[in-house]
């Protein structure tokens, strides 16, 4: 079996590659990357797998990347929100080739909205009659050590428009274990959507309190209104698209019901997903 992993140089993709590498029995893994030379240089962990050029913006890369692929792990890069322009051509091509299944990284609650990009991709896949598994994870714990990290590192601060909204926290290694399970037993989950949550709904004041308790630290959380958030991120030279993604991710939970806690992870592995305390302990050096 040949599995093409997109977004392999990102948070979740790299973790998915690592899971698959530790379980070589699954078959052959291939990373679809924008720049093969840069990837070889910057990602040593991808050096021992096949790399193929793949760019959502460049239709000419699709056929060679998809050659002989059985399953595609499809990750929508955060900056791509124009699904019609950048993702629809790929889905059409996959349908034309036939026999390629998709494991899509979607997001918790995607089914409740037709305007969020992930739901648009889900609907395209269904419309094109491609066999799929939709994975709908909650909020990544790793946001604390990636997108939110520069501010933590430089100012011991997390500034967000989130108020005291509750987020459900999931570790990306737990999501990746589910990706591996789905690829290994595709038929079992075929044409189903799995919501993946952690076991805790916590707001940012609670998470910051835990970080400080565990690390003996002094990180502060500052909730700001949307306008202040936009101005602050603009000053930090964030691209408008990225500010928008960050805003939606962190503001919407204020006006939505608390995230649902589901047992998907426990039902598959008979163990609980990682708790945020464990994640903080594993990353203690970063927070201190
Ligand atoms: N953060 C959360 O809490 C959360 C929760 C649920 C779902 N999600 C979803 O998870 C996804 C983000 O995952 P992530 O955090 O792993 O993202 P990430 O770390 O930002 O990685 C994005 C990946 O996409 C690749 N990429 C970017 N533009 C590309 C293009 N034009 N063609 C091909 N590849 C391209 C990047 O490769 P380069 O190295 O070339 O840039 C990188 O490997 C989003 O769809 C998001 O909505 C996030």
């Amino acid at each position: 079996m040949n599995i093409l992993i997109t977004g392999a140089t990102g948070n979740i993709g790299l973790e998915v590659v690592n899971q698959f590498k530790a379980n070589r029995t699954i078959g052959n893994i291939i990373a679809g990357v924008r720049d093969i030379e840069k990837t070889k240089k910057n990602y040593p962990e991808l050096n021992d797998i096949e790399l193929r050029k793949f760019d959502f913006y460049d239709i000419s890369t699709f056929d060679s990347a998809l050659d002989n692929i059985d399953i595609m792990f499809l990750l929508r890069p955060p900056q791509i929100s124009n699904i019609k322009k950048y993702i629809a051509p790929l889905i059409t091509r996959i349908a034309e080739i036939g026999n390629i299944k998709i494991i899509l990284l979607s997001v918790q609650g995607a089914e409740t909205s037709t305007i969020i990009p992930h739901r648009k991709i889900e609907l395209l896949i269904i419309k094109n009659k491609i066999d799929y598994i939709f994975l709908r994870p909650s909020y990544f714990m790793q946001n604390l050590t990636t997108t939110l990290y520069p501010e933590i590192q430089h100012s011991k601060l997390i500034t967000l428009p989130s108020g005291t909204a509750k987020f459900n926290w999931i570790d990306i290694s737990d999501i990746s274990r589910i990706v591996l399970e789905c690829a290994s037993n595709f038929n079992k989950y075929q044409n189903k959507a799995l919501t993946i949550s952690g076991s805790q709904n916590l707001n940012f004041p609670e998470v910051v309190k835990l970080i400080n308790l565990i690390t003996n630290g002094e990180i502060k959380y500052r909730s700001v209104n949307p306008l202040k958030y936009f101005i602050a991120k603009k000053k930090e030279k964030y691209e408008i698209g990225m500010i928008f993604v960050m805003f939606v991710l962190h503001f919407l939970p204020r006006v939505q019901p608390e995230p649902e806690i589901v047992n998907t992870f426990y039902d598959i592995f008979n163990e609980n997903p990682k708790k945020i305390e464990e994640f903080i302990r594993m990353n203690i050096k970063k927070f201190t």
Side-chain angles (χ1 to χ4, degrees), residues 6-14 32-35 38-39 43 54-58 75-80 105-108 118 135-143 146-147 170 172 175 242 245 249-250:
T6 60
T9 55
N11 297 318
I12 191 104
L14 208 51
V33 297
R34 283 198 276 190
D35 187 329
K38 219 162 111 187
T39 303
Y43 297 90
F54 174 77
D55 190 336
F56 286 99
Y57 296 144
D58 182 359
L75 179 135
R76 176 198 70 100
Q79 84 277 12
I80 297 186
L105 187 84
S106 182
V107 65
Q108 184 173 27
H118 308 78
L135 300 181
R136 297 179 179 150
S138 58
Y139 187 80
F140 299 171
M141 293 180 191
Q142 276 76 2
N143 292 328
T146 55
T147 43
I170 183 85
I172 59 173
I175 302 171
M242 200 56 199
V245 167
L249 184 64
H250 293 103

